[in-house]
Amino acid sequence: MENYRTEQLNGSDPVAMEKACALLKAGELVAFPTETVYGLGGDALNPEASAKIYAAKGRPSDNPLIVHIADVAAVEELADISAIPDTMQEKAKHLMEAFWPGPLTVILPKKDIVPHATTGGLETVAIRMPSHPAAMELIKKSGIFIAAPSANASGRPSPTKAEHVMQDLSGRIPLILDGGAVGIGIESTIVDMTGEVPTILRPGFITKKMLTEMIGEVMIDPALTEPDKNLRPKAPGMKYTHYAPQGELTIVEGNASAITDRINTLCAEKASRGFTVSVLATEEHVAAYTCPHVITVGNEADGATVAARLYAALRECDAMGAQYIYSEAFDGTELSGAIMNRLIKAAGHRVIKV
Ligand code: TXA
Ligand code: MG
């Protein structure tokens, strides 16, 4: 792989934007902000660009990429929507109208123009129209459909700031467009429209309830919720241990005072043996901890604030060299499903119930 001197430039600077467009057109990679997390973009129709994405991230090549578009008409070019039943076609169009641009990815049968190098060998393609102005401008000005996974090194927490991308991909890509901290903080909701019933393959900011209100019955991929290890998630990316910090993360679940008591005990025990320990807690509970390193992750009552802070908090644990990390379970909001999906994976399923 080439060794780049990675530049980080302001995404709202027109000169930086032009440079980014030129790189994409030349088959090179550019990291850019979206409303969910930073993406690592390349030309979705150029198999060599897709190969570079996998190499830069160290990502398994059977894990398909999401294609980012700026205009609904692009769906026709990339996907064969006529290959799914009429009712599913209507529902797919309805979702695009309702939630694009925004944090929703739709899976459809692909057209030949989309290379297997981008879809991880699948006959389907994941498509999303991001709402972030810099992402929109990059797609429109370059005239390119941008394949973009999250811009982290494979297995690390997704990047919510340009600095996170620099930590993971410095020297591996030529340019990062800096758009500051992202708004949402967890990746898009993925809905598969190629089966009989619309199916959520990855929970996100657009919740099952929001989808159901628009199109009626929506399923969740059973592999996401059932403990049966033999079920394979339909989104290949959901099978990998993911989002993981370097320390051993454990989630403690139960009522609030039982959680703080247990975490205080666990911290004291680990600290007495000389380990560095950190705690992830919501604003409402931070004062109840006796441990020295408590990182605040939003407000208990407002899942959006937790989502926005979660990945940065996991990276802070790494930065302070935490060997053990204890996190409250972030239950009880509309976004709990999406947040706990990430946190449980980051914890390698280590959950203590109190
Ligand atoms: O919010 C997002 O979606 C971010 C930003 C950058 O747009 N992107 C993102 O991409 O999260 P990535 O590559 O980190 O995650 C893509 C997920 C993976 O789990 C992958 O397996 C799944 O989407 N996926 C992509 N194409 C698919 C397909 N054709 N069928 C099933 N799953 C697919
Ligand atoms: Mg990712």
Side-chain angles (χ1 to χ4, degrees), residues 28-49:
E28 295 288 342
L29 308 186
V30 175
F32 63 99
T34 83
E35 70 279 22
T36 57
V37 299
Y38 274 75
L40 175 59
D43 181 350
L45 304 186
N46 175 349
E48 282 161 29

Side-chain angles (χ1 to χ4, degrees), residues 37 57 59 63 149-152 156 158 187 202 242-243:
V37 299
K57 278 182 63 99
R59 175 177 176 123
N63 189 2
S150 48
N152 50 292
R156 297 265 296 143
S158 293
E187 306 84 347
R202 180 174 71 184
H242 223 124
Y243 316 118

Side-chain angles (χ1 to χ4, degrees), residues 116-158:
H116 284 126
T118 298
T119 67
L122 297 177
E123 293 307 323
T124 54
V125 59
I127 306 178
R128 159 162 131 79
M129 189 193 294
S131 65
H132 194 289
M136 273 285 187
E137 198 180 343
L138 187 63
I139 304 165
K140 285 187 180 155
K141 284 221 166 114
S142 66
I144 277 174
F145 301 133
I146 303 182
S150 48
N152 50 292
S154 194
R156 297 265 296 143
S158 293

Side-chain angles (χ1 to χ4, degrees), residues 291-308:
C291 332
H293 301 292
V294 184
I295 300 172
T296 311
V297 192
N299 301 97
E300 185 182 30
D302 183 0
T305 62
V306 176

